[in-house]
Amino acid sequence: MPYCSQCGVEVEEYVDVCPLCTTPILKNNNMIEKKSLRFPDKPVIENKTGVLRFLVWEIVSVSLLTAFLIVVLTNIIVNFNITWAWYPMASIFMVWLVATFPLLLPKRPLLIAIFSVTSIMLFLAFIDLIDNWAFDWYYDIALPIAFMLIVVTTGVIMLCLKVKKKGINIAAFILFGIGIIVLGLDLIICFDLKKIINLTWSLFVIIPIILTAIFLLYIHYRLLKAVDIKKWLQL
Amino acid sequence: MQVKTDQKNAIQEWYRLDNAATLYSLISSSKITCMFRIEAGLKYPININKLQQALDNIIERFPYYRVNLQPGLFWHFWNTNLSKPVIISDSDYPCEQMPITKKGIFPFRVRAYKNRVAMEFHHSITDGTGGLIFLKALLAEYLRLKGVKKARFNGIFRPDQTPDFSEYEDAYKKYYKKSIPSPAKQAKVFPLPFKIDNKQPFFRTTGIIQLDDIKSVIKKLNVSTTELLAAVFIESFQDILFNIHGTKRKKYLKPIRILVPINLRNIYSAHTMRNFSLYVNPEIDPRLGRYSFTDILKEVYHYMRVEVDEKYINKQIKRNVRAELHPLLRATPLFIKKIILRIATNVFFTSVNNGVLTNLGKVELPSILANEIEDFQFFLPPSRGVKICLALSRYKDNIYLNFGRIYKEAEVEKLFFRKLVKMGIKVKIK
């Protein structure tokens, strides 16, 4: 029987290092090399997440398809044509796409983000086109707002992932993000209506948001340094 | 307590949880599974059909285990589970979380693989003593079906016996004395300077020592096996503490305390098959200076002799049962109780011990059965509450020491086994 030269304990013939101190075990040539399985390597609680996720997708799809058909048929019965139903049809289809990506492509956040953003952009373009088959507000309002939302959301997510100590600083980052979005909305809408760059209502929203965010950051980086809440609560 | 007496005509009955079960049922989670495992290695591969038949037969003898945990408005309760427990394959993931309140789930699992039979119990149904009696009865029935001639053995439950009323009782409430004081609160312990490995639920190390080797040591020192191993366990923690250098050690300088569960059936002459065990907590205080092994052994020896006594245990029973009977707690809905107790467990319980050392004791079997069974092992999975567990069992000429830890570092086991080797006790690591 081989033994560990450091610990002095006997070990199984198939082990290469001591299970206690990882010291390499010296072996004779006739010693067994392979471990015979003591247990079948199978947990009792099976991972049913994949099956459940597909079931959820199926239920969502059937529910939305039902709503889609109701809308289409109602429009056809009442107006003998598809008129107003384009709007709810497009909305339902967009909701289905946005729900499908995370449910069928789990653990692929980048793909989910790309597909979801593309779907929303196409949806907005389609909605703009429906009434007169021309872009009225898509390039002036929808596209800049969507671009701003993507940039700010990505920035906030990156910041949240990158920061080492997570806590209420995450809430502060989200508030900063909301502040930037509010500011951008005000600027984009004001420019579209009056063709001037001016801040109007957004100041009343931004000031309390920014102050609250600064307060949260202060709490996080100054006060919580002394008391580790997570450790204290053993979360 | 409602008692089902007619085994053949099983009726849907319910009964209350005992005091310990109440706590375990409320705090049970993926981080604190409240499970324990007793396993036996047989000489020959298991015949699963025969084992299933044996389980179907023997479960009739244990109606108090043939139950399912159900949530009530204020407390959980046991409901008779008329379905049959099914043998499942053993796994490299012992003592996984049990979805204990799921409909139809038994509070135990019977697992088998090759020549090994294991029973994993949720602690809310019974303790190690009850679990061992069940496993022994199951193995005896299995071997009977396999052709072992003798059908009856002294001290082993048989399917045709009628359970005694005393087996159902909540012994904590029976021995609860309202007027005595509760034990004093305990200080926080030295936190081990290791990181918890979140990727793996826990790590297991099994050490086997020869009974003769340890006998000669305990005879020389005039202590019991539990006392000797508890002292070695505590000294291992002390070594880790004093291996921290410089001013950093000051931060860690706190008492070292381990939990040693005591089977109260021996103290109170109880025969309950439900939970009836409590902990004693031998400790040293390194703030007073470094202890030699002789000092630690002396502390443990005297502590155990003083504390493992009806009077002192009564204080613990008083504290635990009084908490359960408190009108405010009784009037709190179950879901709120769960939240409060889980937070309280995380905040208070995780820092009052360094580890647990539990001794199943000597596993005795009639020789005709012992010839068929090669080893008996006991395992307690570590959790956020008890981060290092050492479970002992003695069978034939061996003592099996099963370590479970949630840390990646095997420092405690390493120091522990090296100390045993230094004492002249041969250790084989599995």
Side-chain angles (χ1 to χ4, degrees), chain B residues 35-168:
Chain B
M35 301 288 292
F36 68 88
R37 170 180 166 116
I38 308 173
E39 59 185 55
L42 273 70
K43 255 188 184 164
Y44 304 105
I46 307 288
N47 179 330
I48 299 291
N49 293 336
K50 285 255 169 26
L51 187 64
Q52 183 64 60
Q53 182 60 49
L55 181 60
D56 293 348
N57 296 349
I58 203 67
I59 192 68
E60 300 287 337
R61 175 61 185 82
F62 297 90
Y64 28 78
Y65 296 160
R66 198 182 178 183
V67 286
N68 175 221
L69 192 72
Q70 298 279 301
L73 181 61
F74 297 107
W75 302 102
H76 287 110
F77 60 89
W78 292 118
N79 215 16
T80 302
N81 188 351
L82 295 176
S83 54
K84 284 182 176 175
V86 179
I87 311 274
I88 56 167
S89 180
D90 206 356
S91 157
D92 220 355
Y93 305 87
C95 299
E96 269 182 297
Q97 185 193 9
M98 181 177 269
I100 186 83
T101 48
K102 196 175 166 185
K103 213 169 183 184
I105 285 274
F106 286 90
F108 63 86
R109 296 185 191 116
V110 183
R111 316 180 80 152
Y113 183 63
K114 289 186 177 175
N115 61 343
R116 187 158 293 273
V117 180
M119 289 204 71
E120 293 177 359
F121 291 88
H122 195 272
H123 226 317
S124 56
I125 191 67
T126 189
D127 52 19
T129 307
L132 180 63
I133 292 171
F134 192 0
L135 180 58
K136 277 160 79 170
L138 174 68
L139 291 172
E141 179 62 10
Y142 168 73
L143 292 170
R144 186 188 71 78
L145 292 174
K146 284 279 283 178
V148 173
K149 293 258 165 68
K150 198 174 173 185
R152 289 178 185 279
F153 305 103
N154 282 339
I156 293 184
F157 287 19
R158 296 283 315 129
D160 54 2
Q161 291 170 328
T162 308
D164 193 83
F165 280 109
S166 62
E167 292 172 23
Y168 289 85

Side-chain angles (χ1 to χ4, degrees), chain A residues 10 12 38 40 44-45 234, chain B residues 39 96 111 427 429-430:
Chain A
E10 284 183 10
E12 296 281 5
R38 193 178 168 197
V44 174
I45 301 165
Q234 300 279 315
Chain B
E39 59 185 55
E96 269 182 297
R111 316 180 80 152
V427 178
I429 301 293
K430 280 259 183 183

Side-chain angles (χ1 to χ4, degrees), chain A residues 1 4 6-12 14 19-21 23 35-45 48 231-235, chain B residues 37 39 88-93 96-97 109 111 113-114 116 204-205 346-347 350 377 410 413-414 417-418 421 427-430:
Chain A
M1 184 65 79
C4 170
Q6 292 296 315
C7 299
V9 297
E10 284 183 10
V11 293
E12 296 281 5
Y14 55 79
L20 302 175
C21 65
T23 302
K35 178 188 181 182
S36 68
L37 266 185
R38 193 178 168 197
F39 306 113
D41 199 14
K42 187 183 165 196
V44 174
I45 301 165
K48 289 182 179 170
K231 194 178 170 188
W232 187 59
L233 288 172
Q234 300 279 315
L235 294 170
Chain B
R37 170 180 166 116
E39 59 185 55
I88 56 167
S89 180
D90 206 356
S91 157
D92 220 355
Y93 305 87
E96 269 182 297
Q97 185 193 9
R109 296 185 191 116
R111 316 180 80 152
Y113 183 63
K114 289 186 177 175
R116 187 158 293 273
R204 180 180 173 176
T205 313
N346 286 339
V347 173
T350 50
Q377 295 191 40
E413 291 104 297
K414 187 181 87 181
F417 286 124
R418 281 183 179 182
V421 171
V427 178
K428 187 181 171 186
I429 301 293
K430 280 259 183 183

